[in-house]
Amino acid sequence: MSEVKSTKRGRIAAAVGTSLVVSALSLGLGAAPASAAGASAKSVCSGSASGALLKWGPVSKQCSYTSPASGWKGKLKVSWKVQESTNQYACVQARMGKAKHPDKWQSVGCGQSGSGSVKWPANSASNLEVRAQARPNSPLVNVDYSI
């Protein structure tokens, strides 16, 4: 009988542990990749985007959140950088991609790294959308970004 109780406790503990991990990951509390731009304890979410020479690459949608209802200043800071040890040069744009009527693309800089603010109204659920474009000295570009 005590083996049955022990097995049930083990299953319950495993279920609770799994639930906590899934909750933390859905909130963006997982560890960011070491190469992510501005990777630090303050990074809420990170992702990557790529692009070709003078062509915008696919839209990266790895960060989704709801902004606070009050006390929010209406902007989200996005930091980014190209892959380390490369001579890549990129232009990066970001926006809050709401389900209906996504915002206009906003530049967050050109070069090998940069940061910028994206408008994000209070109390709205949105995906941060990021895209990159390679510039003349590199045919392709890969950038890592974080918020």
Side-chain angles (χ1 to χ4, degrees), residues 3-17:
E3 288 181 35
V4 172
K5 286 183 181 179
S6 176
T7 303
K8 281 186 177 180
R9 284 186 195 143
R11 287 183 190 158
I12 291 171
V16 169

Side-chain angles (χ1 to χ4, degrees), residues 52-55 87-91 133-140:
L53 181 60
L54 302 175
K55 291 195 175 234
N87 196 24
Q88 296 176 350
Y89 187 91
C91 284
Q133 181 182 86
R135 289 302 168 120
N137 69 338
S138 55
L140 298 173

